[in-house]
Amino acid sequence: MAGVSGLATPWRLHAVLPRSLANGPGARYVVWSQGCTLACPGCFNPETHAGARPETGGGSPFRTVGEVTEAVLAEAAHLDGVTLTGGEPLEQPAAVAAFCAEITAGSGLGVIVLTGFTRREIEADPARTAAVAHADLVIAGRYNAGLRLARGLKGSANKEHWDRTGRYPAADLDAVPELEIVIGADATLTFTGMHEEKFA
Ligand code: SF4
């Protein structure tokens, strides 16, 4: 288990979705980080770019790793895993590392990380490397609008399928729906998945 300091790590989030079928195989808890500086031309999530750090703005309040972990584990019996996306999850690597360590410690949940950093960039940086240490699968690399794909959890064809444990082979990802519409208890609609009409 990560220590208390790991659970207390602040984490700026854009949104969460407790159950999704369009962000990886099976039912998944989806966590969208707030903040991204990678500036991929044609990004379809610009509202997630404003800062992960208080001094750079951004509209979302911080939560702690412990709060998010508790919320996910409360749903664990109904989930296959967790998908971390954004924004850019690896621009808050300490929070992601602590969260993934907690989530994978005995819950049986799988972890998928969708990131704009390339595998080379991740492996060259100790903090980013630690952040994906407990991930089963990382979909890595900048979004390239000219190579748009929207299949297999890849927004564009150049993205790398970095299979770290064999839990999520590429064939399973091809079966993930491109678009999902979730109707909330308050009748709000959430659009999610790789389709370009999706929710952020
Ligand atoms: S890494 Fe993702 S969120 Fe960031 S600019 Fe690129 S596509 Fe957008």
Side-chain angles (χ1 to χ4, degrees):
M1 296 280 283
V4 172
S5 60
L7 290 172
T9 304
W11 197 2
R12 179 162 271 181
L13 301 185
H14 178 73
V16 300
L17 186 60
R19 188 175 189 277
S20 170
L21 299 176
N23 284 277
R28 312 193 69 80
Y29 201 109
V30 187
V31 180
W32 284 268
S33 290
Q34 179 69 36
C36 179
T37 62
L38 297 181
C40 306
C43 170
F44 44 82
N45 266 349
E47 60 272 44
T48 65
H49 292 181
R53 300 182 302 279
E55 65 272 23
T56 58
S60 303
F62 282 102
R63 296 174 70 177
T64 67
V65 167
E67 290 171 344
V68 184
T69 299
E70 185 177 352
V72 172
L73 293 181
E75 302 291 332
H78 313 291
L79 298 171
D80 182 82
V82 177
T83 297
L84 302 178
T85 184
E88 178 44 64
L90 301 189
E91 289 190 347
Q92 299 181 78
V96 170
F99 173 74
C100 290
E102 284 290 330
I103 287 298
T104 56
S107 74
L109 295 176
V111 174
I112 296 175
V113 177
L114 308 184
T115 174
F117 288 105
T118 64
R119 177 174 176 174
R120 174 179 289 191
E121 289 172 325
I122 295 168
E123 292 181 324
D125 181 276
R128 291 181 204 134
T129 298
V132 302
H134 294 277
D136 295 287
L137 171 66
V138 181
I139 302 291
R142 306 290 190 277
Y143 172 64
N144 183 329
L147 299 174
R148 180 158 178 74
L149 183 65
R151 195 172 67 242
L153 291 188
K154 293 182 177 180
S156 58
N158 60 297
K159 283 182 162 278
E160 302 165 84
H161 179 109
W162 182 6
D163 183 356
R164 297 172 53 85
T165 66
R167 180 165 176 156
Y168 298 117
D172 287 0
L173 302 189
D174 284 342
V176 174
E178 287 180 29
L179 177 66
E180 176 182 29
I181 302 172
V182 179
I183 304 173
D186 59 356
T188 56
L189 300 180
T190 298
F191 295 78
T192 185
M194 284 292 146
H195 192 279
E196 60 187 3
E197 298 300 329
K198 75 190 203 51
F199 168 77

